[in-house]
Amino acid sequence: MDKYNQMKKFSNQIRKETLKMLLNRGFGHLGGSMSIIETLAVLYSNMKVDPNNPKIEDRDFFILSKGHAGPALYSTLALKGFFDLELLKTLNNNGTHLPSHPDRNLTPGVDMTTGSLGQGISVAVGIALGLKRKGSLRQVYCIVGDGELNEGQCWEAIQFAAHNKLENFTLFIDDNKKQLDGTTIEICNPFDLVKKIKSFGFEVLKVNGASVEEIDIAIKEKYSNKPKCIILDTIKGQGVEYFEKLKANHHIRFSEEMKEILKSEIEKLDIM
């Protein structure tokens, strides 16, 4: 099996486990979890990490700034062997190690506690600057939501990263065109993200966020003295047609009809 088939299979496994986890809980952040799954599959096929030693000194860093997509990250980490898949059944339970938003003190493999949107890029950039000053070759990756870019702190961090020539930093923007209570254009028009991020001093690539091949090629592009931004052209609820078309698909409490749809989608993924 070639590497892209392996990555696609990995993304199908992540999607299946994420849907199972949310179905078991009965509600959750489905839309924004689905839209970053292919990116997580590619990242965790490439990054230097050690499931047996999550805090190993020479690892790469990953920060999920859009913390509500935690279920997708948890599925990825479990499938990579950071913890047992059975733990996914405890999502959001009292005393769980898998809270709604990732917590570095609770979940093996989580490098930053996230949830207050807008802060993840700042922390990621700080880590990248520290590593650069040490002369380290370790990479720092961060996924931010398109709605999250309403926060001014994101743009301060983006400008800071370019000013400090953090070529070890890669920012992913999950451009799924929707946020909690509407489309990004309706709530606060982001305009042309490619032109905007370039104007801040980044190298920018826009890819199909459902294509593991395009994402993988973009990740491996190297630039001197510039950080990189990969804009992911995605759909909220990606990979599950019913939820792609659902208008309010940020956080969903599943009806009986939705539960049956989820069961059907999980069965399809079982045989892929």
Side-chain angles (χ1 to χ4, degrees), residues 11-216:
S11 70
N12 288 338
Q13 291 173 325
I14 297 169
R15 184 163 279 108
K16 180 183 73 174
E17 294 301 331
T18 304
L19 293 177
K20 284 169 61 179
M21 181 174 17
L22 293 172
L23 175 60
N24 179 69
R25 194 69 184 94
F27 59 84
H29 290 102
L30 185 144
S33 292
M34 293 294 104
S35 55
I36 64 167
I37 283 174
E38 280 73 18
T39 301
L40 289 172
V42 176
L43 274 173
Y44 280 86
S45 296
N46 283 297
M47 284 196 308
K48 187 174 184 180
V49 294
D50 183 355
N52 296 313
N53 187 0
K55 300 297 184 184
I56 192 168
E57 180 66 23
D58 65 346
R59 74 188 185 280
D60 292 328
F61 282 85
F62 170 69
I63 291 172
L64 179 64
S65 189
K66 46 173 283 179
H68 51 277
L73 177 58
Y74 297 151
S75 295
T76 305
L77 293 173
L79 288 163
K80 286 292 289 186
F82 282 87
F83 49 84
D84 196 284
L85 281 166
E86 284 295 305
L87 196 63
L88 297 179
K89 295 178 181 178
T90 71
L91 177 72
N92 287 350
N93 289 350
N94 288 337
T96 185
H97 285 274
L98 305 180
S100 179
H101 294 236
D103 187 323
R104 66 185 294 272
N105 295 312
L106 294 176
T107 313
V110 170
D111 284 319
M112 178 196 164
T113 300
T114 54
S116 184
L117 297 185
Q119 296 183 357
I121 305 179
S122 294
V123 175
V125 166
I127 294 169
L129 179 62
L131 293 174
K132 181 176 179 177
R133 287 182 173 175
K134 289 180 179 179
S136 173
L137 297 177
R138 297 154 70 189
Q139 298 294 305
V140 181
Y141 303 95
C142 177
I143 297 180
V144 62
D146 50 359
E148 189 177 353
L149 292 177
N150 292 349
E151 300 285 351
Q153 182 174 349
C154 294
W155 298 101
E156 294 174 28
I158 288 168
Q159 184 173 346
F160 183 87
H163 171 76
N164 285 283
K165 300 180 173 61
L166 300 181
E167 64 271 12
N168 59 340
F169 175 59
T170 300
L171 173 66
F172 295 87
I173 297 175
D174 179 21
D175 184 19
N176 63 33
K177 294 94 181 161
K178 293 172 77 174
Q179 52 195 95
L180 187 148
D181 50 4
T183 67
T184 51
I185 289 177
E186 293 169 335
I187 293 168
C188 191
N189 194 336
F191 299 98
D192 188 324
L193 284 173
V194 173
K195 289 181 179 178
K196 189 189 292 189
I197 303 292
K198 277 186 176 179
S199 75
F200 272 73
F202 272 59
E203 292 289 351
V204 183
L205 300 164
K206 186 170 184 177
V207 302
N208 176 359
S211 168
V212 294
E213 183 172 1
E214 288 190 29
I215 297 166
D216 183 64

Side-chain angles (χ1 to χ4, degrees), residues 1 4-14 272:
M1 184 183 294
Y4 292 128
N5 283 335
Q6 289 177 333
M7 288 178 185
K8 184 60 180 175
K9 183 177 180 180
F10 188 22
S11 70
N12 288 338
Q13 291 173 325
I14 297 169
M272 292 178 74

